[in-house]
């Protein structure tokens, strides 16, 4: 059974602070995706990383894929209230002949103005 | 290009009833995956459909079944509903991974199912 653990589970910070969310597994993934989800809505894809050690930037968000492709991190610089939401990582790979995604437990972020 | 759509938005059913949820995939995508997301948790993979056949399944009982149609739209059927089936049901469309070995998936807004 593949598991993806995210930490922290909950995070409440002031506007302007920096934060890092971690996504860890003992399994190797072909790709890893990060999503943000608002209450009552579907997850929205932020980024996909596929190469070990890869770093991608999306404005104030920096995503990194671990060298061994087992873990990833999401760093937000100068957080804003609009960053509030549930952040999910999902590891992709072929399991029992099917390409599918295993989702992490999620990190609920609240940014206070 | 249209995104992933799902219907209905909300649904209330009674324990023991049956329900059908619908999903239209993003234009150009031929694979549909269904997920169950309980409150406060990450999505759990139910199954995936490709070329109108089930292409993989998570740890869900047989009363969870699905269909994919020639236009790649899909249905999720749940029989003999239980209280624990109350959740947000998400549909995601993607392309079967090609040479790159990576398949990005895009989610619909979900259907909120409440079983009483």
């Amino acid at each position: 059974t593949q598991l993806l653990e995210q930490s922290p589970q909950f995070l409440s910070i002031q506007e302007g602070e920096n934060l890092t969310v971690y996504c860890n597994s003992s399994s190797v993934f072909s790709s890893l995706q990060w999503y943000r989800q608002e209450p009552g809505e579907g997850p929205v894809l932020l980024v996909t990383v596929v190469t070990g050690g890869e770093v991608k930037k999306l404005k104030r968000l920096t995503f990194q894929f671990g060298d061994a492709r087992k873990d990833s991190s999401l760093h937000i610089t100068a957080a804003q209230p609009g960053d509030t939401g549930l952040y999910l990582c999902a590891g992709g790979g072929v399991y029992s002949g099917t390409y599918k995604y295993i989702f992490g437990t999620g990190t609920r972020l609240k940014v206070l103005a | 290009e249209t995104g992933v759509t799902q219907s209905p938005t909300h649904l209330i059913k009674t324990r023991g009833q049956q329900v059908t949820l619908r999903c239209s995939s993003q234009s150009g995508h031929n694979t549909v995956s269904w997920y169950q997301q309980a409150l406060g948790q990450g999505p759990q993979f139910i199954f995936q459909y490709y070329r109108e056949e089930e292409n993989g399944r998570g740890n869900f009982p047989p009363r969870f079944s699905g269909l994919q149609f020639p236009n790649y739209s899909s249905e999720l059927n749940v029989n003999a509903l239980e209280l624990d089936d109350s959740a947000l049901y998400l549909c995601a469309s993607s392309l079967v991974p090609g040479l790159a070995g990576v398949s990005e998936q895009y989610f619909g807004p979900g259907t909120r199912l409440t079983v009483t």
Side-chain angles (χ1 to χ4, degrees), chain A residues 30-31 33 35 37 40-43 45 47-48 50 86 88 90 97-101 103-106 108, chain B residues 35 37 40-43 45 48 55-58 88 90 97 101-110 112:
Chain A
S30 299
S31 66
Q33 297 187 337
Y35 295 84
Q37 186 177 22
E41 298 180 9
L45 179 66
V47 77
T48 299
V50 300
L86 178 68
L88 294 160
T98 303
Y99 196 100
K100 54 188 173 187
Y101 288 91
F103 274 83
T105 47
R108 191 163 298 280
Chain B
Y35 292 84
Q37 186 177 23
Q41 298 182 20
F45 176 73
Q48 181 184 89
N55 189 43
R57 190 177 185 94
L88 181 68
L90 296 163
V102 174
S103 180
E104 293 188 339
Q105 56 180 357
Y106 296 86
F107 282 86
R112 171 71 61 187

Side-chain angles (χ1 to χ4, degrees), chain A residues 6-93:
Chain A
Q6 285 185 238
S7 61
Q9 274 189 290
F10 300 96
L11 195 53
S12 181
I13 61 172
Q14 294 292 323
E15 182 177 3
E17 292 184 6
N18 302 331
L19 67 117
T20 303
V21 176
Y22 300 93
C23 176
N24 295 293
S25 175
S26 57
S27 301
V28 175
F29 295 105
S30 299
S31 66
L32 195 134
Q33 297 187 337
W34 283 93
Y35 295 84
R36 186 171 76 205
Q37 186 177 22
E38 306 285 346
E41 298 180 9
V44 175
L45 179 66
L46 296 174
V47 77
T48 299
V49 285
V50 300
T51 306
E54 182 177 2
V55 176
K56 279 192 174 179
K57 291 190 176 183
L58 184 67
K59 296 183 180 178
R60 294 176 293 100
L61 279 60
T62 302
F63 306 85
Q64 183 161 11
F65 203 11
D67 291 340
R69 290 186 290 134
K70 293 182 178 182
D71 55 84
S72 181
S73 63
L74 157 61
H75 182 79
I76 301 179
T77 303
Q80 299 177 0
D83 296 328
T84 294
L86 178 68
Y87 288 82
L88 294 160
C89 63

Side-chain angles (χ1 to χ4, degrees), chain B:
Chain B
E1 181 177 300
T2 58
V4 180
T5 60
Q6 292 186 243
S7 64
T9 307
H10 297 89
L11 201 52
I12 300 174
K13 288 286 189 178
T14 303
R15 190 172 50 185
Q17 286 187 317
Q18 177 265 345
V19 69
T20 298
L21 310 182
R22 295 178 174 82
C23 171
S24 291
S25 60
Q26 183 164 309
S27 177
H29 284 182
N30 55 19
T31 303
V32 173
S33 301
W34 285 92
Y35 292 84
Q36 180 195 66
Q37 186 177 23
L39 202 61
Q41 298 182 20
Q44 297 294 312
F45 176 73
I46 302 175
F47 44 55
Q48 181 184 89
Y49 276 82
Y50 171 63
R51 291 184 175 174
E52 303 175 50
E53 291 190 359
E54 188 178 290
N55 189 43
R57 190 177 185 94
N59 295 327
F60 282 81
R63 59 189 185 84
F64 285 78
S65 63
L67 284 173
Q68 186 182 32
F69 301 99
N71 66 353
Y72 305 129
S73 65
S74 177
E75 286 182 356
L76 164 65
N77 299 289
V78 187
N79 293 322
L81 284 166
E82 301 177 359
L83 296 179
D84 285 349
D85 295 333
S86 295
L88 181 68
Y89 287 85
L90 296 163
C91 162
S93 74
S94 61
L95 283 172
V96 173
L99 295 177
V102 174
S103 180
E104 293 188 339
Q105 56 180 357
Y106 296 86
F107 282 86
T111 294
R112 171 71 61 187
L113 172 64
T114 302
V115 182
T116 61

